[in-house]
Amino acid sequence: MSREKTKALHKSVAPYTKANNKKSIIQLFNTLLPLILFWILSYTSLQISVWLTILFAIIGSGFVVRTFIIFHDCTHGSFFNHKKTNDILGTITGIITLFPYEKWKREHAIHHASSSNLDKRGIGDIWVMTIDEYLKANRWERIKYRLYRNPFIMFGLGPLYLVLVSNRINRKDARKKERKNTYITNISIIILYGLMIFLMGWQAFLLVQGIMMYVAAALGIWLFYIQHTFEDSYFEEESEWNYVKAAVEGSSYYQLPKLLQWLTGNIGFHHVHHLAPRVPNYNLEEAHNSTPPLQRATTITIGTSLASIKYRLYDPENKSFVTFRMIKHLTKQQKRPSELLKTKQTSIEGK
């Protein structure tokens, strides 16, 4: 993409980068009030049926995801016009969703600045190995990678690791402001959860809050995974990497039913978000619809997105993700898919 086209694309979405305080306040009310309502319904329904409690908790988890989108916008400084307001609200919604605001803000900024860059992987990303890296890795490294990419671990144990371990500790290079915010978040969670256990009892607390937060975290990991893991996703080395191409070709448009789109705060328009992170979530759809080049982004649905679970390794040569099964025989031959294809073609021509 030429520099002129890049500038034109940025210019076309610029009008949508301004926060609308009225819309933001409305979204706060239609997100937090239903979250509180379903939390109360989950708890009080225990006297009727545990299955009803589970149902209400799962519905409530959708509003936890929606609360996280508000948190996410605050980290980009896009939910309100005022930085301090974003920081305060971001910290509060971070306590609700179990995410330390300053820590995630920095890691997510790194993710945006290096998304799809093969030479800058590691912070704020899903772990991705190329075929060559996997073939050259020792057995233990391959086992770790296979376990990490296993759906049962990524979406089953991943939520527990995320909220109980990763989000509770600072990185070694964290600055004082970031460390302080994480401590405040952790202490606030302990006090809040301690009060909830005192009022509800630990069993009711684990059932209601446990289900609500676990399901929300699993959904969050899925959304993050699917928005960057699809067959022809864009990845490039630093010398060839382009920010706009990474946004439009390395992020998907996850076309969801309207209710799910609303619950997930339009985050399915992820290509728009990566192109212009300052666009508030309630402006993403309009920016997409009014900008024809953005409509050419890879579109996936719930049905087609399930196929992405099988994608494990990236092939830079063919610009696509591949499955472990596709490279299983390569672990012995130490050949790339393209080399194997040439070998097969030569054999056929010889016959």
Side-chain angles (χ1 to χ4, degrees):
M1 182 175 289
S2 67
R3 184 171 298 180
E4 291 74 20
K5 288 184 178 180
T6 297
K7 288 182 179 180
L9 192 55
H10 272 286
K11 187 176 180 180
S12 65
V13 297
Y16 304 100
T17 60
K18 298 178 181 179
N20 183 315
N21 289 343
K22 182 179 179 180
K23 288 184 178 180
S24 296
I25 291 172
I26 290 174
Q27 186 171 22
L28 272 177
F29 276 98
N30 64 33
T31 300
L32 297 182
L33 290 182
L35 174 60
I36 295 171
L37 173 63
F38 279 103
W39 187 91
I40 293 173
L41 288 174
S42 299
Y43 175 64
T44 55
S45 64
L46 276 171
Q47 301 174 16
I48 303 173
S49 168
V50 68
W51 294 110
L52 192 58
T53 295
I54 293 173
L55 174 62
F56 284 142
I58 291 175
I59 296 174
S61 69
F63 287 95
V64 175
V65 172
R66 188 166 167 83
T67 302
F68 177 82
I69 298 302
I70 294 175
F71 163 87
H72 168 260
D73 275 11
C74 288
T75 64
H76 286 292
S78 64
F79 196 69
F80 282 113
N81 292 313
H82 192 257
K83 180 182 182 301
K84 191 67 175 180
T85 306
N86 282 313
D87 290 343
I88 294 173
L89 180 60
T91 298
I92 294 172
T93 51
I95 292 169
I96 295 173
T97 57
L98 306 182
F99 277 79
Y101 176 71
E102 292 292 343
K103 176 180 187 291
W104 201 81
K105 179 181 178 180
R106 180 168 73 102
E107 292 180 358
H108 193 59
I110 295 173
H111 162 71
H112 270 265
S114 60
S115 180
S116 297
N117 189 323
L118 289 173
D119 294 321
K120 293 184 178 180
R121 288 167 287 166
I123 298 180
D125 300 316
I126 296 287
W127 185 13
V128 175
M129 289 183 76
T130 65
I131 293 175
D132 284 343
E133 289 169 345
Y134 182 79
L135 293 178
K136 293 176 182 177
N138 59 44
R139 180 179 292 274
W140 174 235
E141 193 71 12
R142 289 182 185 179
I143 291 174
K144 285 196 300 181
Y145 186 72
R146 280 181 171 270
L147 289 174
Y148 176 91
R149 302 286 296 199
N150 185 289
F152 296 103
I153 293 179
M154 181 175 288
F155 306 113
L157 297 180
L160 296 176
Y161 177 79
L162 180 66
V163 299
L164 297 178
V165 181
S166 178
N167 283 355
R168 307 280 66 85
I169 56 178
N170 290 300
R171 297 180 64 85
K172 292 181 179 180
D173 60 346
R175 295 181 179 179
K176 184 178 180 180
K177 181 180 180 181
E178 183 179 325
R179 292 181 182 278
K180 183 179 178 181
N181 181 265
T182 301
Y183 298 149
I184 291 173
T185 300
N186 289 344
I187 293 171
S188 298
I189 291 171
I190 291 171
I191 293 173
L192 177 62
Y193 279 21
L195 180 61
M196 292 168 70
I197 291 172
F198 176 76
L199 295 174
M200 298 172 58
W202 68 270
Q203 292 174 313
F205 169 80
L206 283 180
L207 182 64
V208 174
Q209 194 70 6
I211 291 176
M212 197 172 287
M213 300 310 297
Y214 178 84
V215 173
L219 290 173
I221 292 174
W222 168 253
L223 287 170
F224 191 81
Y225 173 86
I226 198 60
Q227 287 159 346
H228 295 285
T229 308
F230 47 95
E231 187 173 9
D232 58 349
S233 183
Y234 171 89
F235 280 87
E236 277 291 357
E237 295 178 351
E238 171 69 18
S239 58
E240 300 293 329
W241 184 82
N242 178 278
Y243 178 85
V244 175
K245 291 192 71 174
V248 180
E249 298 178 22
S251 303
S252 66
Y253 164 35
Y254 199 12
Q255 193 174 46
L256 296 170
K258 284 297 181 180
L259 178 59
L260 294 181
Q261 179 185 320
W262 184 83
L263 275 175
T264 56
N266 295 314
I267 200 61
F269 297 95
H270 209 61
H271 57 303
V272 183
H273 171 64
H274 263 265
L275 175 66
R278 292 300 296 269
V279 176
N281 71 85
Y282 45 75
N283 285 343
L284 290 172
E285 182 175 15
E286 189 177 357
H288 168 85
N289 291 337
S290 65
T291 313
L294 292 178
Q295 296 166 21
R296 293 197 290 269
T298 299
T299 301
I300 55 177
T301 63
I302 292 178
T304 58
S305 68
L306 297 177
S308 292
I309 296 176
K310 65 184 179 182
Y311 296 130
R312 301 288 197 272
L313 299 163
Y314 191 75
D315 181 5
E317 186 173 321
N318 294 305
K319 310 296 182 186
S320 65
F321 272 99
V322 297
T323 67
F324 279 135
R325 181 173 294 182
M326 292 172 67
I327 57 97
K328 184 177 181 180
H329 48 288
L330 301 180
T331 57
K332 294 182 179 180
Q333 300 180 40
Q334 296 292 306
K335 292 183 178 180
R336 294 180 57 80
S338 56
E339 293 174 339
L340 187 69
L341 182 60
K342 290 178 181 178
T343 301
K344 288 183 177 180
Q345 289 176 337
T346 302
S347 176
I348 292 173
E349 290 172 357
K351 292 180 179 179

